[in-house]
Amino acid sequence: MESLKNKVALITGGTKGIGYGVAEALLNQGLKVVITSRDEDSAKKAAKELGAKTNAAAHILGVKADVRKLESQQEAVKQTIDKFGKLDIVIANAGVGKFASIEDMTSQEWNDVIDTNLTGVFNSIKASVDELKKNKGYYITISSLAGANFFAGGAAYNASKFGVTGFTQAVMLDLRQHGVKVSTIMPGSVSTHFNGNEPSEKGDWKIQIEDLGELVVDLLKMNPRTLPSKIEVRPSMPPA
């Protein structure tokens, strides 16, 4: 996939944060991009904004899709193919964070995190696997350093991201002989609105969304014979 022009990418949770940064980077590389959100207005608004920023309004589509439901992801894949004729790349990015001690966490909070962060990745890949096998495409999942390092209050989030990391590596082995590349990116602290955070100059030490967009572009441009299957990404110099 050294040449990215005219490739088509589907990004779940692409209206803000990491997904938004990746979408902008791919549009700037000449790709056609579909971003999803559970909220249709948010998807369309972000798509319009991205199209204006990158002068690529004809190359971006925002659709409503819920990664927790396989049929919703299948519909997002269908809309992508209907609009752009094919699908080459899936960025499974959608995620939520709910943090609490096991004593305080509700079953609903647990289910929302697992269903979105882990089952959502399964649904995104399951819904598109035939198309990506046909096109010898690329899956990139967004895990987290929380998928390798546990912490108090992180029972649901750790479980979901440990799961994404392991799931992605197994899928990589399942699909590599079909010519499909599969990688997972495990970021540390990223400057986004995730979990109620407010990006500001105080967070300049954090990974920025454009940094992760650049990383995704680099992965996609790598020679097909080489696969960085698991990438840990950290801020270079966090506060002491």
Side-chain angles (χ1 to χ4, degrees):
M1 290 194 121
E2 306 97 318
S3 176
L4 299 183
K5 194 170 183 180
N6 296 320
K7 297 292 185 182
V8 179
L10 171 63
I11 305 173
T12 67
T15 62
K16 56 187 177 181
I18 294 172
Y20 187 97
V22 171
E24 184 173 356
L26 296 188
L27 287 166
N28 282 328
Q29 291 290 320
L31 281 82
K32 298 176 176 68
V33 176
V34 176
I35 57 172
T36 74
S37 170
R38 295 180 191 176
D39 180 75
E40 185 172 10
D41 288 342
S42 295
K44 293 186 181 303
K45 179 180 178 182
K48 183 177 181 180
E49 184 178 277
L50 283 163
K53 288 177 69 175
T54 60
N55 295 315
H59 288 179
I60 178 74
L61 176 68
V63 303
K64 179 180 179 180
D66 186 343
V67 296
R68 298 172 297 180
K69 301 174 182 177
L70 178 59
E71 61 273 19
S72 185
Q73 280 305 101
Q74 290 170 329
E75 177 60 25
V77 170
K78 181 180 181 300
Q79 289 188 52
T80 301
I81 297 170
D82 287 347
K83 174 69 174 178
F84 294 124
K86 61 174 182 169
L87 176 58
D88 302 291
I89 301 155
V90 173
I91 314 292
N93 164 76
V96 297
K98 298 181 188 295
F99 303 95
S101 163
I102 188 60
E103 299 166 290
D104 301 320
M105 177 165 287
T106 67
S107 60
Q108 181 57 52
E109 289 173 329
W110 169 269
N111 289 336
D112 193 29
V113 173
I114 298 299
D115 290 350
T116 303
N117 295 4
L118 181 53
T119 304
V121 174
F122 167 83
N123 289 338
S124 299
I125 292 179
K126 187 68 174 176
S128 56
V129 67
D130 289 341
E131 183 70 9
L132 263 67
K133 282 170 62 178
K134 181 174 71 175
N135 296 327
K136 298 189 182 304
Y138 205 142
Y139 285 112
I140 298 175
T141 69
I142 306 300
S143 183
S144 168
L145 289 182
N149 306 288
F150 49 82
F151 54 90
Y157 193 71
N158 282 146
S160 72
K161 292 302 187 178
F162 269 73
V164 168
T165 301
F167 171 79
T168 306
Q169 297 299 283
V171 170
M172 178 268 294
L173 297 177
D174 288 341
L175 297 180
R176 65 197 304 187
Q177 297 304 325
H178 296 283
V180 178
K181 297 177 79 172
V182 183
S183 301
T184 190
I185 298 174
M186 305 169 68
S189 299
V190 183
S191 182
T192 70
H193 290 90
F194 184 76
N195 197 37
N197 292 319
E198 188 67 33
S200 69
E201 290 184 3
K202 292 181 179 179
D204 285 350
W205 61 271
K206 296 181 179 180
I207 301 163
Q208 303 297 307
I209 59 174
E210 58 266 28
D211 302 337
L212 293 173
E214 182 179 357
L215 175 57
V216 168
V217 169
D218 288 344
L219 284 174
L220 296 175
K221 285 186 172 181
M222 188 160 288
N223 192 294
R225 67 174 173 257
T226 302
L227 176 62
S229 58
K230 183 170 66 173
I231 304 98
E232 294 188 359
V233 189
R234 293 172 171 81
S236 298
M237 194 174 294

